[in-house]
Amino acid sequence: MALQEEFAKQGIWLFRYRGVLPVIILVIGALLFLQTELHPETFFLKKTPYELYYEMFCLVVSLIGLFIRICVIGFVPKNTSGRTVEKQVADSLNTTGMYSLVRHPLYLGNYFMWLGLAMLPGNFWFLVAFTFLYWIYYERIMFSEEKFLREKFGETYLVWSEKIPAFVPDFKNFKKPNLSFSWKKVVRKEITGIFLLFLIFSVFDYLGVITKNETKPNPFLVYSLIILTIAIIVIKIIKKNTDLLKQENR
């Protein structure tokens, strides 16, 4: 099998199971975080006044990734840039908004979301390994997606892709989105991801408490998690019993 076909085949398989990598990163990161908590001398910020600021900085990095995702999801039409796992779907080609800056903005957002978590253990080599593994993993997926889009949209895709970088944004190419921002779609699609992000940060924070390196949980994370839990319940009730969050073609 030619290398291009092999990459495409691997990308299709990885696309279906792309949720596996975050779990692997999370498990390894949690183990390293526990090691740092049990041996605080391995990370120079442990037991210093700056430890809390570092934790908040990690959260900000993850929120930057979340913001990128919201900027994508909020402006794209239905059946594009989704969370499908069985097959790739694209009823139309997105070329404006975030897609005028970078060809794979969702994966860029995902990288920053998981980078913040990978930073928590304070292990430089884990960050390097995470970045390398993320690139190798998603490179195959991006290759497969681009093959699919090239075959479906032909010359239109080739012209667009020639001037738009794959992963590092080029801001001089920005074009205003064709559609208005849909907060309804963001709420439907991203609220669970927001909740999980704060839940994971809260779990890591609590690991610091039970290992006696922190006196109490971070109140910001605790209150945020409570608010998001209530929001999740309310949104599920609304989605089940009303059409308030539904929107045509979004």
Side-chain angles (χ1 to χ4, degrees), residues 23-39 42 121 123 126 204 207 211:
V23 175
I24 295 173
I25 297 299
L26 185 59
V27 171
I28 297 174
L31 293 174
L32 288 173
F33 184 80
L34 274 175
Q35 182 185 36
T36 302
E37 292 295 323
L38 294 172
H39 303 281
T42 59
N123 187 305
F126 178 59
F204 274 67
L207 287 177
T211 54

Side-chain angles (χ1 to χ4, degrees), residues 86-140:
E86 292 300 323
K87 61 180 181 179
Q88 295 159 343
V89 176
D91 287 353
S92 60
L93 181 64
N94 294 314
T95 60
T96 61
M98 290 298 296
Y99 285 93
S100 65
L101 306 179
V102 62
R103 298 204 300 270
H104 301 278
L106 284 179
Y107 296 151
L108 177 64
N110 290 348
Y111 172 72
F112 278 102
M113 284 183 66
W114 288 100
L115 177 64
L117 288 165
M119 291 168 58
L120 279 174
N123 187 305
F124 172 77
W125 293 112
F126 178 59
L127 281 178
V128 173
F130 159 73
T131 299
F132 177 75
L133 181 60
Y134 187 94
W135 176 254
I136 294 298
Y137 194 93
Y138 277 95
E139 182 185 42
R140 300 296 192 273

Side-chain angles (χ1 to χ4, degrees), residues 192-211:
T192 301
I194 297 171
F195 171 78
L196 289 175
L197 179 65
F198 277 86
L199 176 62
I200 294 170
F201 267 93
S202 297
V203 169
F204 274 67
D205 184 64
Y206 188 68
L207 287 177
V209 174
I210 63 177
T211 54

